Amino acid sequence: MNHRPKKRFGQNFLQDRHIIDGILAAAALEPRDRVLEIGPGLGVLTDRLLPSVARLHVIEIDRDLVEGLQARTAPHLTVHVGDALALDWEAILCEPPYKLVANLPYNISSQILFKILDHRHLFSRLVLMFQQEVGDRLCAAPGGRDYGILSVLCQVWFDIRRVLRVAPGAFYPPPKVYSSVLCFEALARPRIEIADERFFRRTVKAAFGQRRKTLRNSLAGGGLGFDGLEDALREVGIDSGRRAETLSLEEFGRLAQVLARHVSPA
Ligand SMILES: C[S@@+](CC[C@H](N)C(=O)[O-])C[C@H]1O[C@@H](n2cnc3c(N)ncnc32)[C@H](O)[C@@H]1O
């Protein structure tokens, strides 16, 4: 098929067979699996997924590619045309759990991750390609500059490991950066206790809002400051002079609990 890759849709098509093999191996497919693929493009992953799974949904935004995908007449394949960020995943994925496999367009990877977090109950495993820098952030441990909002929010719910490092030449056209394939395994229960998930997310975002600042200042800047904050945090073993990037997941859990007691949950 003659298709001119479109930059606006982040079209870097995989052409390295070893990388495709590595993605499929990480997905650990079983015949009864139901899978969602976001951004099938020319279908290199789709064609490898199809014979191995019970059900495959693909979501592709580029109408020029849809005809080629629909030409694969497998009865267990459903092609959804549209923006994966806008489509209603609950309506499409009616028989969870699903595995999610995607060579994601880099420009929407954070937004997709937030949508995945909102729909994590639908998924048992995710195998996703990211720009290497984003992959590093997702796997990062506390203490370094890679550790941030997405590291915390995703690591609470998933075991995340990098399975492949991918050079630009694996794609056509080659992107300017290296990429990483990450495998997310859904945990049976979150790593920490979270009473109110929306508030937990708000806490983490506020704490990292101004990452060079101390917790005391960044929380105040994010509307989560209150009189007595320093003492309240000290009581749960957190020094308000620390920066967000030094806090473990457990400490973020305790931080959110303390703030929830003192700040209105709006
Ligand atoms: C990096 S390419 C990967 C294509 C193919 N899976 C492969 O590995 O060669 C990203 C694909 O996602 C599609 N895409 C981009 N934005 C999208 C969106 N918001 N929703 C669904 N698909 C999207 C692009 O058109 C493209 O086919």
Side-chain angles (χ1 to χ4, degrees):
M1 179 191 181
N2 268 338
H3 176 81
R4 228 180 180 194
K6 295 177 185 139
K7 222 175 170 177
R8 72 176 185 285
F9 290 145
Q11 290 180 350
N12 300 100
F13 298 110
L14 262 175
Q15 53 176 9
D16 183 325
R17 200 180 170 79
H18 299 295
I19 302 300
I20 297 167
D21 288 347
I23 291 173
L24 289 155
L29 296 171
E30 292 180 32
R32 64 170 189 279
D33 279 344
R34 290 179 285 275
V35 176
L36 168 66
E37 185 191 359
I38 296 177
L42 297 168
V44 284
L45 286 167
T46 319
D47 286 337
R48 294 287 302 280
L49 289 164
L50 263 180
S52 311
V53 302
R55 196 96 185 74
L56 178 60
H57 290 272
V58 301
I59 303 178
E60 175 55 59
I61 199 170
D62 185 350
R63 287 174 188 277
D64 293 344
L65 293 171
V66 167
E67 206 176 307
L69 293 162
Q70 281 169 340
R72 285 136 169 120
T73 49
H76 61 303
L77 169 69
T78 310
V79 180
H80 304 269
V81 189
D83 180 351
L85 292 170
L87 287 178
D88 179 355
W89 291 5
E90 299 279 352
I92 294 173
L93 307 175
C94 312
E95 301 170 280
Y98 290 80
K99 289 180 176 172
L100 171 53
V101 176
N103 171 12
L104 290 173
Y106 297 140
N107 52 342
I108 61 164
S109 51
S110 295
Q111 293 167 78
I112 287 280
L113 276 168
F114 278 110
K115 183 155 181 173
I116 289 170
L117 284 171
D118 287 338
H119 294 82
R120 58 167 198 281
H121 56 284
L122 296 176
F123 302 109
S124 55
R125 179 182 285 237
L126 326 168
V127 182
L128 305 173
M129 175 91 72
F130 295 99
Q131 187 175 331
Q132 182 173 290
E133 194 187 304
V134 176
D136 290 347
R137 277 193 245 146
L138 286 161
C139 299
R145 67 188 169 89
D146 287 337
Y147 185 67
I149 296 171
L150 280 173
S151 338
V152 175
L153 297 181
C154 292
Q155 288 174 23
V156 166
W157 302 101
F158 295 97
D159 210 7
I160 307 174
R161 66 190 165 93
R162 184 169 79 178
V163 290
L164 293 168
R165 188 160 176 266
V166 188
F171 303 89
Y172 176 77
K176 291 198 173 66
V177 291
Y178 272 73
S179 305
S180 292
V181 175
L182 265 50
C183 180
F184 293 53
E185 184 96 51
L187 297 167
R189 62 184 70 84
R191 277 183 218 281
I192 54 173
E193 205 181 303
I194 296 178
D196 177 345
E197 198 175 341
R198 269 187 62 204
F199 191 78
F200 179 75
R201 221 185 256 197
R202 190 176 156 206
T203 301
V204 175
K205 283 185 175 172
F208 280 109
Q210 293 151 298
R211 52 181 308 145
R212 303 307 309 157
K213 293 199 173 175
T214 60
L215 278 179
R216 135 179 11 106
N217 289 333
S218 53
L219 292 173
L224 291 177
F226 60 90
D227 286 342
L229 173 100
E230 302 195 6
D231 291 340
L233 291 194
R234 195 174 308 117
E235 269 174 39
V236 293
I238 301 172
D239 181 336
S240 62
R242 285 169 63 188
R243 295 199 183 112
E245 68 198 31
T246 69
L247 264 61
S248 66
L249 297 188
E250 291 73 18
E251 287 174 318
F252 270 111
R254 276 186 266 144
L255 177 65
Q257 274 172 12
V258 171
L259 295 178
R261 284 203 293 274
H262 291 85
V263 182
S264 94

